[in-house]
Amino acid sequence: MNIKIVEAGKVRKDVLRVRFEEEGKDGVVEVKNGSETLVLVIGKREKMTRRKLMLLARRIVREALAKKYTEALLDFKEFHFPHLKIASADAAELLAVNFLMAEFSFREFLTAPKEGFPRIKTIFLSGVSVASQKEAKEGINRGVIIGEEVNRSRHIATMPGGEMTPDILARHARASVKGLPVKVKVLDERQMTKLKMGGVLGVGQGSDAPSRFIVLEYFGGKKKERPVVLVGKGVTFDTGGINLKPSDFILGMNMDMSGGAAVIHALAAAARLKLKKNIVVLVPAVENMMSGASYRPGDIIRSMSGKTIEVLNTDAEGRIVLADALHYAKRYSPSLVIDVATLTGAAMGALGERASALFTKDEKLELRFRHLGEESGDYVWPLPLWDEYDDEIKVTFGDVDNLGRTRYGGAITAAVFLKQFVDKAYPWVHLDIAPRMTTLSDEFLSKGSAGAPVRLLVKVLEKL
């Protein structure tokens, strides 16, 4: 999709025009003087919110696609809501990101119709003042980069499990940063064995698809600046292992590597934006399968840190592979570690499907992430990490267990488990993105991966 700043009078008549109204007929196309105008009722302008504005941008694209238009003309001034206090560059970025997200559909395995799939080729923005054009163009360029990387994350997360094994994910990671100043290293099982990564190897040992540990390094900041480390869960398919998932819950588990997809493409966006930051991405990539070689309930795994994990349930595998990655992160002396994982259904039980669960002991980081979540559209909400929860993952035969003593508060006990492998070595934020793994019907996005939290991570990398 191209997004161009133009003068309204220089755009052809056959381009769909879009107009907002506070009341009237919604979603109709008016024809006048050979031009067609899509009318969208947005209610009282003073009641517009940033959240609604993002949805409005997406709705324009979805309406145009449904009506099979390939180009649309919008008045940039229509998106100016003084009470929102959004600068021209930020408004342009917000629109570009959400235009691209709305235009995306996963069509990898669909047979194209003769006329091709509907798509928006160009959105024209008129009404941009001369004084604001430079800032708006910069905002558009940034928004296009972020939107493209969100969609690339959605694409690989939606790929069927048979088409996205750990090795394929590693190859995709390498391809996603080709031509960018990013160093790529992929550890195989032999190398992981030398590092004593018992968590990654233990979870992946039942699969015919070999496990991988993906490392991406982007050093765009000062040499002595401590990096931000992004850790993403890369379970390319999760059967649940011997604790097999019920049929209703196993479908969609090709997207259990959504955290890994998000951190890979957040780094790609950061590198394309030339952020002056040092950033490292770690993705433990495994497939949790059943076979005669699978790890079992009751097994005790020795993690890379030396701490032992008693396996009470093989379907609580994500936290086990993340334990090794969180320990590996210590070699970078990071200024901050953010792990991203579709970790628990309990997070969905707590928050529904509108926000990811946020865990951190640092109140300043909590508030900052919540603010940047609102700004980016990747919403997060905090849950507690109180020390009292530590006792709930203590067992008899290992240092910690991977499930907890109670069936309640599962998102919290999973986060508390991860905390044991951080050991106060660095500031740490855990994002359980299970609630935002897939899109909702009222978000004006195609079905499949939601691409969370790529937008949030880019904002964090820029502004923290």
Side-chain angles (χ1 to χ4, degrees):
M1 177 193 293
N2 293 316
I3 303 172
K4 296 181 179 180
I5 295 174
V6 297
E7 293 180 29
K10 295 184 178 180
V11 178
R12 302 187 319 273
K13 286 186 177 181
D14 60 344
V15 173
L16 178 69
R17 280 134 170 94
V18 180
R19 187 178 77 242
F20 301 154
E21 297 287 351
E22 292 193 354
E23 57 185 24
K25 292 183 178 181
D26 186 39
V28 300
V29 175
E30 297 178 345
V31 181
K32 186 177 180 181
N33 298 326
S35 296
E36 298 185 359
T37 301
L38 173 67
V39 181
L40 297 180
V41 176
I42 63 171
K44 298 295 182 184
R45 290 184 67 88
E46 62 268 20
K47 292 187 177 181
M48 178 60 67
T49 65
R50 192 181 185 97
R51 290 185 176 217
K52 290 179 181 178
L53 189 58
M54 293 181 195
L55 294 177
L56 179 61
R58 295 178 196 168
R59 186 186 170 196
I60 292 167
V61 172
R62 300 306 290 185
E63 291 272 7
L65 284 170
K67 293 173 171 58
K68 297 186 178 180
Y69 288 94
T70 61
E71 297 178 316
L73 171 65
L74 316 174
D75 187 342
F76 190 61
K77 294 192 297 294
E78 288 265 29
F79 293 94
H80 179 60
F81 298 87
H83 64 283
L84 296 181
K85 298 179 181 179
I86 303 177
S88 293
D90 292 336
E93 179 184 322
L94 180 152
L95 294 177
V97 170
N98 286 281
F99 288 156
L100 266 73
M101 289 180 66
E103 207 264 346
F104 170 83
S105 289
F106 183 78
R107 296 168 175 151
E108 185 81 10
F109 300 95
L110 289 176
T111 301
K114 289 182 179 179
E115 67 276 15
F117 291 113
R119 62 183 298 264
I120 305 296
K121 294 180 180 178
T122 309
I123 291 182
F124 299 102
L125 288 179
S126 66
V128 182
S129 68
V130 175
S132 300
Q133 283 198 11
K134 181 180 178 182
E135 290 80 4
K137 286 179 180 178
E138 289 175 353
I140 289 169
N141 291 337
R142 288 172 46 78
V144 167
I145 288 172
I146 296 168
E148 286 177 346
E149 294 304 333
V150 171
N151 289 343
R152 287 167 183 165
S153 171
R154 294 167 71 192
H155 182 86
I156 65 165
T158 309
M159 286 288 284
E163 305 291 333
M164 188 52 64
T165 62
D167 189 59
I168 296 173
L169 179 59
R171 282 186 268 138
H172 173 85
R174 192 181 298 277
S176 69
V177 295
K178 186 177 181 181
L180 296 171
V182 178
K183 182 180 178 181
V184 182
K185 179 167 57 176
V186 178
L187 306 182
D188 59 22
E189 291 182 335
R190 179 182 57 82
Q191 292 166 306
M192 285 188 278
T193 299
K194 287 184 178 180
L195 291 172
K196 300 181 180 179
M197 287 186 171
V200 179
L201 294 169
V203 172
Q205 70 189 34
S207 174
D208 289 339
S211 300
R212 296 288 184 260
F213 191 86
I214 303 163
V215 182
L216 307 178
E217 298 173 340
Y218 168 72
F219 295 113
K222 297 177 182 178
K223 284 187 177 181
K224 294 184 179 180
E225 181 182 298
R226 296 164 64 197
V228 175
V229 176
L230 307 178
V231 177
K233 175 183 171 184
V235 178
T236 58
F237 195 86
D238 181 20
T239 66
I242 290 176
N243 293 110
L244 183 68
K245 289 179 182 289
S247 296
D248 290 346
F249 294 95
I250 203 167
L251 188 64
M253 282 299 100
N254 55 302
M255 285 187 270
D256 210 18
M257 41 67 71
S258 296
V263 297
I264 289 168
H265 287 284
L267 180 136
R272 291 177 66 191
L273 291 168
K274 300 179 181 178
L275 296 189
K276 294 181 179 180
K277 296 289 177 67
N278 295 330
I279 307 163
V280 175
V281 157
L282 307 175
V283 180
V286 302
E287 191 175 55
N288 187 19
M289 280 286 183
M290 286 188 300
S291 74
S294 296
Y295 79 130
R296 309 161 181 81
D299 280 357
I300 297 177
I301 291 173
R302 187 172 296 278
S303 69
M304 184 182 179
S305 71
K307 291 182 180 179
T308 55
I309 303 166
E310 186 172 348
V311 179
L312 300 188
N313 190 307
T314 60
D315 193 23
E317 85 299 330
R319 66 201 72 179
I320 297 177
V321 300
L322 289 174
D324 282 348
L326 289 171
H327 182 76
Y328 189 93
K330 293 177 184 178
R331 61 181 55 201
Y332 291 98
S333 299
S335 60
L336 173 66
V337 173
I338 307 165
D339 79 73
V340 183
T342 48
L343 207 59
T344 67
M348 297 175 69
L351 298 176
E353 297 177 88
R354 304 287 177 178
S356 298
L358 165 67
F359 295 87
T360 182
K361 299 280 281 186
D362 187 319
E363 292 184 4
K364 290 183 179 179
L365 280 175
E366 176 192 306
L367 290 172
R368 193 70 171 133
F369 269 69
R370 283 171 58 187
H371 172 75
L372 293 176
E374 289 292 329
E375 186 176 320
S376 66
D378 279 329
Y379 310 123
V380 296
W381 196 254
L383 291 175
L385 259 183
W386 301 327
D387 293 339
E388 289 89 337
Y389 288 108
D390 289 2
D391 289 340
E392 297 185 17
I393 58 167
K394 299 293 175 64
V395 282
T396 304
F397 303 114
D399 295 322
V400 292
D401 75 73
N402 75 326
L403 193 62
R405 292 200 304 248
T406 172
R407 67 190 184 102
Y408 302 110
I412 298 171
T413 51
V416 167
F417 174 93
L418 296 177
K419 182 167 68 109
Q420 312 308 308
F421 298 89
V422 173
D423 290 334
K424 300 179 181 178
Y426 42 70
W428 168 63
V429 173
H430 163 54
L431 296 175
D432 188 337
I433 64 167
R436 295 299 303 139
M437 186 174 80
T438 55
T439 60
L440 297 173
S441 59
D442 61 357
E443 292 182 302
F444 302 105
L445 297 172
S446 62
K447 288 185 177 181
S449 167
V454 175
R455 291 172 292 163
L456 170 59
L457 293 175
V458 174
K459 289 293 181 188
V460 169
L461 293 170
E462 280 184 308
K463 298 191 175 185
L464 275 188

